[in-house]
Amino acid sequence: MDLQIRKAIAEDAEILIKIYNEAFYEDYVKYGECPAYGRSVDDMKKSIAEIPKYIAYYNSIPIGVISVKAEGEGVYYIGCVCVIPEFQRKGIGHQLIEFMKTQYSDWKKIELITPIDKEKNVNFYTKKCGFIIDNEEMDSSVKVYHFSMNR
C-alpha cells in the first residue's frame, strides 16, 4: 500500500485525535483507560510540540500515526504506532516503523511498550518488525512488555 507520510504540526491536532480515538477505542473499553484515547485539542497540540508525530495518508485520508521521542545517543522511544481499524493488517504499521528507521538514520536502539495481553501487537513487533521482549512492567494498571531493537 502506497502511503504518504508527513510530520504533524499543531494544526493537525484534531486529525491526530480522530486517528488515536479510532485506533485505541478498543483499548479504552478493555482497560478502562488508555493514555492515547480521548485527548483534548490542547493536550494534543502540547504533545505534538514535545514529541514528533508522523501521519500516514492513503489516498489523502489520514489513517495512521507514529510518534517518536529521541532519548539521546541514538536511542529512540516509539510512543505510539496506530492505524485506524479498517486499515489494520495491511502492512501500514510496518511501513511506519520502516519510515521511522530511515527518518532517524542515526538510530542504535528503538524501544516501545505494549500490553502483554495484546497478542496481535506482540506478534507484530516481534515477528514482523524484529523487536525483542526485554522485560515486563506495569504501566498504570496494565501489565506491558518492554520491547527493543538494536542495530
Side-chain angles (χ1 to χ4, degrees), residues 2 4 7 16 19 27 47-48 71-72 82 105 108-109 112 118 120 127 133-134 138 144 149:
D2 186 34
Q4 292 75 49
K7 190 172 185 180
L16 290 168
I19 296 169
D27 287 358
S47 182
I48 292 167
E71 299 286 346
C82 65
S105 59
K108 294 177 184 163
K109 184 176 188 175
L112 61 91
K118 294 211 54 175
K120 70 179 183 178
K127 294 178 180 168
I133 298 170
D134 289 332
M138 292 299 292
V144 298
M149 175 187 294

Side-chain angles (χ1 to χ4, degrees), residues 24-110:
F24 290 109
Y25 178 72
E26 185 180 293
D27 287 358
Y28 175 72
V29 170
K30 182 175 187 171
Y31 303 113
E33 63 178 312
C34 178
Y37 182 83
R39 290 186 176 185
S40 70
V41 171
D42 287 340
D43 285 346
M44 185 60 79
K45 285 182 179 179
K46 182 179 177 191
S47 182
I48 292 167
E50 293 173 353
I51 302 169
K53 296 169 186 8
Y54 299 87
I55 306 171
Y57 289 85
Y58 176 69
N59 289 338
S60 301
I61 301 167
I63 61 167
V65 176
I66 186 168
S67 68
V68 183
K69 181 179 180 186
E71 299 286 346
E73 298 183 20
V75 177
Y76 291 90
Y77 180 80
I78 296 177
C80 171
V81 176
C82 65
V83 177
I84 62 174
E86 58 264 34
F87 285 92
Q88 291 176 1
R89 298 191 170 275
K90 298 182 185 306
I92 296 164
H94 187 259
Q95 285 186 55
L96 285 166
I97 298 272
E98 292 303 310
F99 169 83
M100 177 266 154
K101 289 162 60 178
T102 59
Q103 187 72 19
Y104 298 92
S105 59
D106 68 330
W107 75 272
K108 294 177 184 163
K109 184 176 188 175
I110 303 169

